[in-house]
């Protein structure tokens, strides 16, 4: 006689599963969504660790993790997601020059949102004293400018967002993040155990991203090339440059791109999103226009903030060039395809 | 401990075995006693230290057992009597000296006391230190009661002086701490003035003829022991079963004989001296019994000796049945007990034997269920908990599967859950840095795991120094963490070189760990393990640097010592509004993971509460609570 099939036990959705699916296989991309919630997950020198077991079978860490929750089959609205308006632009203010990554649009918009009290606090990423990227919480323009520029390493900044959300206060928050972080913020907002996220996160500025680097690996590679951390600035110049540029202690260095790329998080290979499709505004480099940004306004809040900035003369804006949008769409579509292929291979291989 | 030099001769008093050994040494006129603390032997030296002033003798805690015996030997060469006491492990430390000393010989009476710990109740092993008597050809005395402790200690000094060699007295954990009636004898009137006759020289060459001298001394000791009457028989003239026993097992055998109701059938040969074995006495008793059972702890020391005597005399003795370790009638491991011996006797004699009344057993089981399960753990506020916490956090964050090489002290408990099972290996005093030193030299062959060696402050001086010099010399790559709690806490807070005080309570010269590190050219940083963030940052950095031996000194007074010195600064409380209990965001982190016994999870409210009786107020837990629910306020200044 065949015994009646027992109903399958519900799959655990806590730390244990996060470890099994993401951290132990080395797929964590250090977004920080699982950090700052509880003492079980720690972040030191750019890396997530879980020294002890958590006794719970379900929890937020797993629910927030963009690698665990990644669904490559989910079709967003085209390769670059929903777009209300596509622009190219840059900040006009002189005090941003030399500090921002390209056009300074991200920093200027954030500073404006704080100035206007649209939000009262923002979570950004900046290099610490020794160059280790980390999340920091800023409340005014000087803080925003202190964190300007790209750090090409995972900084776990969403830890600071979780920390802010756990505090007994109600002020609205902004966050700047990579596509994985933007996805995690969406998961936070939808999570039943995190009601304050939807209530308090009022502005999400997403960055474009093809890959990120683990800080420890990058530091070692830099050291091998005789470059001391911290870096004052770094960039991936557009193809066919084939290099990674690093400025440290007033001197300039070039590292071969393939060596840097080889370091990138294995977890980035499965990421389908180039342009942070869940953000209010997404910002990246502008093809053929150094010192400018490409800007995608995705929500009315995002478009409104952009308009306000332009109206105040803080940003110089032009409609995005069709050719560069075409290239961006192609690049985004390629990233989705690569991620799908990678996920397929993992599932079967 | 009490000043046992003040006891009135002839008046029976209750004494611990260890105190009785101390009194015996005083009665024998010991002038220099030295030891390294170690359970179950520690009280011998402490008792002597507390009696030293009135007895006018010198007593010291030495840096290790070898040094202790060497100091005691110095007294012997100066014509005085000396004694070194230690636990079984210590005999290994002293062994190199012993094996040479036995060839060079001694002058004034010199006694080595080893207190063995069958079952390893407070030890890392349950080694039977009687091996040293065979290895080094030394007379070995084994008392069974505190009264015998006193008597045989005195005999040991006499014997040593008569044969000119070291004599070993072996105690056991049960005996060391058992109290029984002892009648002290008189103390010596006067002692000789120390003097080393420059014509007297003590060394081991020429080795072969001196080896013969050593054997002759042992043979002489055999005659003296036989004459001393410390071995005696008690039982019927022709027993059905002869038990040959030593130490506490003699008492167990006596009790077992009553328990199985075989009084008239069983005789006991009490062996107060078990090396050399009294061959004549043994042959006499083998001739009168056909079945022989051995009762001794832990190794078959008497068993193998008697069997080899029998092998030489098998024609005249005829066939005999021997029962002991080889037949499973004496366990090869663990302590003996009356019931274990009784079970063996009953089996041999075909008697019924029930270990315990089943009704009683049932009651005991029921009672056991009422006792809360308890784990061995660090005390509330123990700095080692904080230290292991930081090591656990940092090694996990480091992510390269770091190894912790452990050592001997309270912090050995790093192997247990209380130390987050963070320690990967523990052996003997000083072996931690030695193992770390070897690991740190495997880098060139691809060993990439970081290595931490933890040593306590007392262990640092005892046996870590040669390993550190080795690591420095050979450029081994590891991090030494000195867990400096300014105490030899495990064994009862004896002073050590770093504390600067001495056994007799006088000021010594404090030996500074930092200066030693500096002298070795080792970079070092002193940290307060209670400050988790600073400690973890420094440890992480130390692990990243690599390249050679570097030292972190985690310095914080033992919580128990601190309690006696005015306590800790904080009054703790848990805010139930802030405590997250079992929710996602904590899940009882403090009581489930950190586990200081000062914090208790209250099932009824689902919140953590502070046990104010247990908490000492170290303030560490406030740093690990994710919700800021554990509050530390300064204790009010007491009026
Ligand atoms: C890892 C990484 C990869 C990127 N890859 C691409 C790419 O492939 N193509 C492309 O067009 N653009 C990419 N960008 C975005 C680009 O570097 C700029 O951040 C973006 O164009 C905005 O420029 P800006 O001048 O407005 O920036 P700024 O005004 O200088 O502001 C930069 C903002 O980025 C945030 N930030 C810096 N480092 C990090 C980090 N590690 N994680 C999260 N946030 C961070 C800072 O908090 C700051 O608010 C990447 C950025 C990062 C950090
Ligand atoms: S407490 Fe919650 S967030 Fe923390 S590890 Fe457990 S389930 Fe994850
Ligand atoms: S990817 Fe983000 S959420 Fe997932 S484990 Fe890493 S840091 Fe945590
Ligand atoms: S760690 Fe803090 S929040 Fe968690 S159970 Fe303990 S007291 Fe409560
Ligand atoms: S303060 Fe906290 S860690 Fe220290 S003894 Fe009290 S409960 Fe334990």
């Amino acid at each position: 006689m065949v015994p009646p099939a027992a109903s399958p036990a519900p799959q655990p959705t806590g730390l244990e599963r996060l470890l099994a699916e993401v951290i132990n296989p080395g797929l964590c991309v250090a977004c920080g969504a699982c950090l700052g919630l509880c003492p079980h997950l720690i972040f030191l020198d750019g890396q997530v660790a879980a020294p002890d077991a958590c006794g719970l079978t379900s929890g937020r860490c797993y629910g927030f993790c963009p690698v665990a929750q990644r669904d490559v089959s989910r079709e967003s609205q085209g390769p670059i997601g929903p777009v209300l308006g596509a622009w190219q632009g840059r900040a006009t203010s002189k005090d941003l020059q030399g500090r921002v990554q390209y056009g300074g649009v991200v920093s200027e918009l954030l500073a404006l949102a704080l100035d206007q009290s649209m939000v009262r606090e923002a979570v950004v990423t900046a290099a610490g004293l020794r160059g280790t990227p980390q999340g920091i919480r800023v409340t005014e323009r000087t803080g925003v400018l202190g964190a300007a520029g790209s750090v090409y390493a995972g900084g776990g900044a969403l830890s600071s967002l979780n920390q802010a959300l756990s505090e007994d206060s109600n002020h609205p928050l902004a966050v700047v993040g990579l596509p994985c972080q933007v996805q995690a913020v969406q998961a936070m907002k939808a999570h039943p155990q995190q009601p304050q996220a939807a209530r308090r996160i009022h502005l999400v500025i997403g960055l474009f991203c093809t890959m990120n680097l683990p800080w420890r690996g990058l530091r070692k590679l830099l050291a091998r090339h005789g470059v001391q951390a911290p870096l004052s600035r770094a960039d991936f110049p557009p193809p066919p440059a084939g290099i990674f540029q690093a400025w440290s202690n007033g001197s300039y260095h070039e590292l071969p791109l393939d060596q840097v790329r080889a370091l990138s998080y294995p977890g980035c290979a499965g990421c389908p999103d180039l342009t942070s499709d869940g953000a209010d505004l997404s910002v990246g480099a502008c093809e053929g226009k150094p010192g400018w940004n490409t800007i995608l306004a995705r929500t009315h809040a995002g478009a409104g903030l952009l308009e306000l900035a332009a109206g105040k003369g803080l940003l110089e804006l032009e409609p995005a060039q069709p050719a560069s949008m075409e290239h961006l769409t192609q690049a985004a579509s390629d990233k989705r395809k690569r991620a799908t292929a990678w996920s397929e291979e993992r599932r079967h291989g | 401990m009490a000043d046992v030099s003040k006891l009135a001769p002839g008046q029976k008093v209750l004494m611990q075995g260890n105190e009785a050994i101390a009194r015996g040494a005083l009665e024998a006129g010991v002038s220099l006693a030295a030891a390294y603390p170690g359970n179950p032997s520690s009280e011998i030296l402490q008792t002597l230290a507390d009696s030293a002033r009135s007895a006018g003798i010198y007593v010291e805690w030495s840096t290790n057992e070898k040094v202790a015996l060497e100091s005691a030997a110095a007294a012997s060469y100066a014509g005085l009597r000396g004694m070194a006491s230690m636990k079984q492990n210590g005999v290994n430390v002293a062994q190199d000296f012993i094996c040479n000393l036995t060839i060079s010989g001694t002058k004034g009476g010199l006694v080595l006391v080893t207190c063995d710990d069958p079952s390893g109740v407070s030890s890392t092993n349950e080694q039977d230190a009687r091996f040293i008597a065979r290895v080094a050809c030394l007379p070995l005395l084994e008392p069974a009661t505190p009264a015998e402790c006193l008597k045989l200690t005195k005999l040991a000094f006499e014997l040593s002086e008569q044969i000119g060699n070291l004599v070993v007295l072996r105690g056991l954990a049960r005996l060391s701490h058992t109290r029984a009636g002892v009648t002290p004898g008189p103390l010596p009137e006067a002692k000789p003035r120390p003097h080393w006759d420059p014509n007297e020289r003590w060394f081991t060459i020429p080795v072969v003829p001196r080896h013969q001298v050593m054997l002759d001394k042992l043979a002489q000791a055999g005659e003296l022991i036989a004459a001393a009457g410390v071995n005696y028989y008690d039982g019927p003239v022709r027993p059905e079963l002869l038990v040959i026993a030593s130490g506490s097992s003699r008492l167990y055998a006596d009790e077992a004989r009553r328990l199985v109701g075989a009084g008239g059938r069983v005789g006991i040969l009490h062996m107060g001296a078990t090396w050399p074995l009294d061959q004549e006495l043994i042959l006499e008793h083998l001739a009168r019994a056909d079945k022989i059972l051995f009762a001794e702890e832990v190794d078959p020391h008497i068993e193998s000796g008697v069997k080899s005597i029998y092998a030489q005399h098998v024609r005249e003795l005829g066939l005999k049945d021997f029962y002991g370790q080889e037949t499973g009638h004496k366990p090869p491991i663990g302590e003996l007990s009356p019931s274990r011996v009784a079970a063996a006797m009953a089996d041999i004699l075909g008697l019924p034997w029930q270990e315990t009344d089943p009704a009683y057993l049932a009651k005991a089981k029921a009672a056991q269920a009422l006792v809360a399960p308890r784990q061995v753990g660090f005390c509330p506020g123990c700095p080692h908990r904080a230290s292991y916490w930081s090591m656990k956090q940092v090694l996990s964050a480091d992510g390269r599967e770091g190894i912790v090489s452990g050592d001997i002290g309270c912090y050995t408990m790093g192997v247990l859950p209380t130390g987050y099972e963070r320690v990967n290996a523990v052996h003997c005093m000083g072996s931690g840095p030695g193992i770390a030193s070897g690991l740190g030299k495997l880098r060139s062959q691809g060993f990439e795991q970081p290595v931490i060696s933890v040593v306590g402050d007392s262990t640092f001086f005892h046996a870590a120094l040669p390993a550190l010099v080795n690591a420095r010399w050979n450029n081994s790559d590891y991090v030494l963490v000195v867990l400096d709690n300014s105490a030899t806490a495990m064994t009862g807070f004896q002073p050590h070189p770093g504390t600067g005080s001495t056994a007799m309570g006088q000021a010594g010269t404090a030996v500074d760990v930092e200066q030693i590190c500096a002298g070795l050219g080792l970079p070092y940083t002193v940290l307060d393990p209670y400050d988790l963030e600073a400690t973890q940052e420094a440890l992480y950095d130390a692990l990243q640097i690599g390249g050679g031996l570097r030292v972190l000194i985690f310095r914080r007074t033992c919580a128990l010592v601190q309690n006696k010195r005015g306590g800790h600064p904080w009054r703790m409380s848990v805010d139930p509004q802030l405590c997250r209990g079992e929710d996602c965001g904590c899940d009882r982190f403090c009581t489930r993971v950190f586990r200081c016994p000062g914090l208790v999870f209250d099932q009824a409210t689902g919140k953590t509460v502070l046990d104010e009786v247990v908490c000492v107020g170290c303030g560490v837990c406030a740093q690990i609570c994710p919700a800021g629910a554990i509050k530390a306020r300064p204790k009010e200044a007491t009026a």
Side-chain angles (χ1 to χ4, degrees):
Chain A
M1 219 179 82
V2 184
S7 62
Q11 272 256 49
T13 56
L15 176 58
E16 208 181 322
R17 187 154 169 210
L18 186 70
L19 284 167
E21 289 181 10
V22 182
I23 298 177
N24 293 344
L27 297 179
C28 168
V29 294
C31 75
C34 63
L35 302 170
L37 294 168
C38 77
H40 294 106
L41 285 143
I42 58 174
F43 191 66
L44 189 69
D45 196 24
Q47 195 164 302
V48 174
D52 300 286
C54 163
L56 302 177
T57 47
S58 88
R60 292 168 293 172
C61 50
Y62 182 78
F64 291 177
C65 174
V67 178
Q69 305 304 327
R70 202 175 260 166
D71 182 2
V72 284
S73 60
R74 182 185 63 124
E75 194 40 72
S76 67
Q77 299 170 31
I80 59 167
V83 177
L84 295 182
W87 308 88
Q88 51 196 37
R90 65 175 173 187
T92 54
S93 165
K94 291 272 179 289
D95 68 346
L96 296 186
Q97 273 167 18
R99 310 172 79 163
V100 297
Q101 189 61 17
Y102 300 131
V105 170
V106 169
S107 295
E108 192 57 87
L109 290 175
L110 213 50
L112 179 63
L114 287 166
D115 279 349
Q116 299 289 308
S117 298
M118 271 178 65
V119 296
R120 293 248 312 281
E121 193 177 10
V123 171
V124 292
T125 302
L129 271 184
R130 305 188 212 184
T132 319
Q134 62 192 34
I136 53 170
R137 294 161 62 178
V138 297
T139 52
E140 47 181 39
R141 186 178 177 88
T142 43
V144 172
L145 294 192
S150 296
V151 188
Y152 290 101
L158 295 184
S159 174
S160 300
L161 184 64
N162 284 329
Q163 223 111 54
L165 289 171
S166 76
E167 287 165 10
D168 191 17
S169 55
N170 261 317
H171 61 260
L173 303 167
V175 56
V176 179
L178 298 167
C180 54
Q181 295 175 309
V182 171
Q183 190 203 319
V185 171
Q186 286 181 295
M188 290 175 185
K189 285 180 161 182
H191 202 284
Q193 279 171 278
Q194 195 78 336
Q196 64 280 41
R199 204 170 62 234
R200 293 185 57 197
I201 302 171
H202 284 207
L203 177 64
V204 180
I205 301 183
L207 305 176
F208 296 1
C209 177
T210 44
M211 59 156 193
N212 199 2
L213 308 169
W215 167 244
R216 295 183 193 182
L218 177 60
R219 182 179 51 205
K220 271 197 205 118
L221 182 71
L222 288 169
R224 264 202 277 133
H225 286 270
V227 188
Q228 276 295 320
L231 299 181
S232 53
R233 180 181 168 79
D235 198 10
F236 288 99
I243 52 164
F244 175 74
Q245 303 174 308
W247 286 260
S248 156
N249 254 336
S251 60
Y252 168 72
H253 309 263
E254 288 179 1
L255 274 62
L257 184 62
D258 50 350
Q259 284 185 21
V260 177
R261 210 181 252 147
L263 280 181
S264 72
Y265 285 116
C268 290
C271 172
D273 185 6
L274 177 76
T275 58
S276 293
D277 64 16
D280 292 302
L281 283 155
S282 297
V283 185
C286 181
E287 191 187 60
K289 253 181 119 109
W292 284 62
N293 290 117
T294 299
I295 310 144
L296 305 176
R298 302 185 182 280
T299 65
H300 292 290
L305 179 64
L306 197 63
E307 228 168 86
L308 183 67
K312 284 181 173 285
L314 297 170
L315 294 184
E316 187 183 344
L317 283 186
E318 299 168 357
Q321 293 293 314
S324 84
M325 286 308 290
E326 217 170 273
H327 291 159
L328 183 65
T329 309
Q330 187 56 49
S333 163
D334 289 347
K335 190 177 179 192
R336 278 183 202 282
K337 281 190 200 129
R338 283 198 305 271
T340 310
W342 183 85
S343 308
E344 282 298 304
E345 200 184 304
R346 268 188 75 83
R347 196 167 312 136
H348 303 299
Chain B
M1 313 294 317
D3 178 349
V4 293
S5 73
K6 299 261 168 69
L7 296 173
Q11 265 184 28
K12 198 168 191 173
V13 284
L14 266 185
M15 273 183 132
Q16 264 191 0
N18 281 348
E19 291 170 324
I21 291 172
R23 172 71 190 191
L26 291 176
E27 290 181 17
V30 73
S31 294
L32 191 161
Y36 183 80
N39 293 326
S41 72
S42 308
E43 297 85 359
I44 299 172
L45 194 100
Q46 196 57 57
T47 304
L48 286 168
D50 295 340
S51 314
R53 271 168 220 258
S54 35
I57 63 169
Y58 176 70
V59 175
E60 78 170 25
W61 288 119
S62 307
T63 44
N64 68 32
E65 294 85 349
K66 179 168 172 281
V67 174
L69 184 60
E70 288 156 352
S71 297
S76 167
Y77 294 141
L80 303 180
R81 290 186 167 185
M83 182 169 89
S85 49
M86 56 199 67
K87 67 183 297 171
Q88 77 275 10
N89 308 57
V91 176
N92 303 329
V93 177
Q95 185 179 349
D96 200 2
F97 180 58
I98 295 171
C99 289
N100 288 286
L101 176 68
T102 186
I103 301 180
S104 69
T106 60
K107 186 177 180 185
L110 183 64
V111 175
L112 181 153
V113 181
T114 168
C115 294
D116 291 5
D117 187 11
S119 286
V121 176
S122 52
S123 306
T124 51
N125 69 25
E126 58 166 347
Q127 184 178 344
D128 185 336
R130 292 181 298 176
F131 80 94
I132 198 66
R134 284 176 184 249
V135 168
C137 298
L138 300 173
L140 171 66
L141 305 179
E142 291 196 61
T145 61
E148 275 193 8
C149 283
L150 187 146
K151 182 177 137 194
L152 294 190
T153 303
K154 283 164 73 175
L155 175 66
F157 280 100
E158 292 298 330
L159 205 53
S160 167
E161 234 155 66
Q162 283 166 315
I163 66 168
N165 203 355
L166 178 68
V167 172
V168 183
L169 182 89
R170 187 222 196 187
L172 293 158
R174 298 284 162 195
L175 176 59
S176 286
H177 300 141
T178 290
R179 275 175 206 283
V182 175
T183 309
L187 294 176
E189 298 282 297
K191 276 178 280 180
R193 203 179 68 82
H195 176 69
W196 184 326
D197 179 348
N199 297 314
E200 282 175 355
R201 303 193 304 155
W202 308 91
F203 45 80
T204 62
I205 45 178
V207 170
V208 173
R210 283 186 164 268
H211 189 176
Q212 185 57 53
V213 171
M214 174 188 84
L215 294 174
D216 295 345
K217 287 177 180 178
L218 187 67
Q220 188 197 352
E223 286 163 23
L224 293 167
I225 284 168
V230 292
N231 304 325
Y232 61 92
Y233 176 74
D234 149 35
V237 179
R238 300 199 74 87
E240 212 175 304
L241 175 67
L242 172 69
V243 184
I244 308 183
S246 72
S248 307
S249 306
R250 287 162 49 195
L251 309 180
Y252 303 159
D254 194 29
E255 194 174 334
R257 179 164 64 174
R258 264 182 290 121
L259 287 172
V260 299
R265 299 165 69 187
V266 177
I268 300 171
L269 185 55
H270 292 263
M271 302 297 290
T274 59
W275 202 253
L277 287 170
D278 185 340
Q279 175 154 336
E280 227 170 282
L281 181 75
I282 286 167
L283 286 173
E284 176 191 332
H285 287 278
L286 287 183
R288 294 193 197 148
D290 290 336
K291 295 180 183 347
I292 298 98
L293 168 68
F294 299 98
E296 58 185 324
E297 296 167 311
V298 173
D299 292 341
H301 168 78
I302 303 175
E303 180 174 342
S304 59
V306 168
K307 282 177 177 171
S308 85
I309 292 172
Y310 172 70
Q312 291 303 321
H313 297 271
V314 70
R315 282 182 204 282
E316 42 236 71
L317 289 171
L319 292 183
K320 305 277 172 191
D321 288 318
F322 290 101
Y323 302 90
Q325 181 157 315
E326 307 233 329
T327 57
H329 290 84
K330 186 223 121 206
I333 54 171
E335 270 190 304
L336 266 189
S337 64
S339 64
R340 281 182 144 180
V341 181
M345 273 183 196
D347 181 65
I348 297 163
L349 297 175
L351 292 169
W353 166 247
Q354 180 119 53
E355 174 165 357
T356 320
D357 174 11
Y360 175 82
L361 266 187
K363 273 191 216 157
K365 266 224 172 85
Q368 201 176 11
L370 300 175
V371 180
R374 291 217 311 172
Q375 273 175 350
V376 183
F378 293 126
C379 304
C382 175
H384 297 325
R385 177 180 291 103
S387 297
Y388 279 118
W389 180 264
S390 288
M391 283 187 251
K392 162 179 78 77
Q393 296 292 98
V394 167
L395 286 172
S396 171
D398 174 85
R400 290 175 294 166
E401 302 189 310
I403 294 297
V404 179
S405 186
D407 222 297
I408 305 296
C410 284
Y411 58 95
T412 302
M413 290 195 288
V415 301
L416 302 177
T418 191
Y420 314 109
E421 298 176 335
R422 218 16 295 192
V423 170
N424 297 85
V426 176
H427 295 92
C428 64
M429 300 281 288
S431 63
I435 288 175
S437 183
L439 285 172
K441 288 311 294 179
L442 296 176
R443 299 284 180 231
S444 61
Q445 295 176 60
F447 183 77
E448 287 173 358
Q449 295 162 263
V451 177
I452 297 175
S453 160
V454 290
V455 297
D457 38 353
S458 190
T459 306
F460 181 86
F461 298 110
H462 178 287
L465 288 173
L468 298 182
V469 173
N470 186 68
R472 171 68 176 154
W473 173 26
N474 292 300
N475 283 325
S476 179
D477 171 21
Y478 71 93
V479 176
L480 176 78
V481 172
V482 181
L483 298 173
D484 181 355
N485 62 358
S486 308
T488 316
M490 187 85 176
T491 52
F493 308 104
Q494 292 82 4
H496 64 65
T499 65
S501 50
T502 63
M504 291 167 64
Q506 287 142 346
T509 307
V511 183
D512 193 61
V513 176
E514 284 99 309
Q515 276 186 30
I516 291 178
C517 292
L520 287 174
L522 301 173
Y524 66 86
T525 313
V526 181
L527 294 151
D528 175 2
Y530 279 2
D531 183 344
L532 298 181
E533 198 179 325
T535 301
Q536 288 172 22
E537 193 179 302
L539 182 58
Y540 184 80
D541 287 349
L543 290 180
Q544 306 315 307
I545 297 166
L549 174 57
R550 51 252 185 241
V551 183
L552 300 178
I553 301 166
F554 289 7
R555 178 166 294 147
R556 180 49 90 156
T557 307
C558 165
L560 296 183
V561 173
Q562 188 59 38
N563 290 345
K564 292 182 205 155
R565 292 192 193 151
H568 294 77
W570 307 107
R571 183 166 308 286
M572 309 300 293
S573 61
V574 180
D575 182 342
Q577 300 304 169
L578 294 178
C579 174
R580 297 176 184 170
E582 292 183 288
D583 290 348
C584 171
C586 184
D587 189 24
R588 295 187 287 117
F589 193 61
C590 53
T591 54
R592 188 177 56 80
V593 184
F594 180 68
R595 287 198 300 263
C596 173
L599 295 161
V600 183
F601 186 67
D602 180 5
Q603 298 286 352
T605 58
K607 305 283 180 185
T608 291
V609 291
L610 191 88
D611 186 333
E612 289 187 24
V613 177
V614 175
C615 169
V616 299
C618 73
V620 173
C621 56
Q623 298 167 61
I624 63 104
C625 171
I630 306 178
K631 309 268 188 210
R633 279 175 297 124
K635 281 181 184 161
E636 297 83 6
T638 36

